[in-house]
Amino acid sequence: MPTSAGPSASPIGSSDLSIGGAIHDGSLRDSSSGENAYGCRVNFHETLSLGYRVAPAVSVMLSAEHMSNAGLCTKNDGLTNLGIRLGYGF
């Protein structure tokens, strides 16, 4: 978790935002096999994370990420993940 505070600092929050691209090897047009049809081989990829340092060496971060082609191809099932990360500094 990015921070300028040292290990003995008081609790501090953080955030992370990224916008970029993703290249995948998944299905492009047929989603009948139970897989998403992403439409394009190259897609947009965005992430957003919010974190909080709960102890000098422990942090928790809630993260969301999304990949899709923004409607540039005929199929656009996309992919969205939500998760929690636990960090430990040593």
Side-chain angles (χ1 to χ4, degrees):
M1 183 186 300
T3 181
S4 59
S8 62
S10 62
I12 188 169
S14 67
S15 62
D16 178 54
L17 171 69
S18 67
I19 300 172
I23 300 173
H24 68 89
D25 63 355
S27 177
L28 296 179
R29 293 184 181 85
D30 183 23
S31 59
S32 63
S33 64
E35 297 180 2
N36 287 353
Y38 299 117
C40 299
R41 185 66 56 205
V42 178
N43 288 301
F44 297 99
H45 183 246
E46 309 84 30
T47 63
L48 173 65
S49 299
L50 300 172
Y52 189 74
R53 185 171 302 278
V54 295
V58 180
S59 59
V60 177
M61 184 172 276
L62 175 64
S63 298
E65 66 176 327
H66 177 72
M67 181 187 82
S68 74
N69 63 43
L72 298 176
C73 296
T74 55
K75 289 284 194 171
N76 187 23
D77 289 346
L79 177 69
T80 301
N81 293 312
L82 298 174
I84 296 175
R85 297 177 183 170
L86 178 65
Y88 181 77
F90 51 93

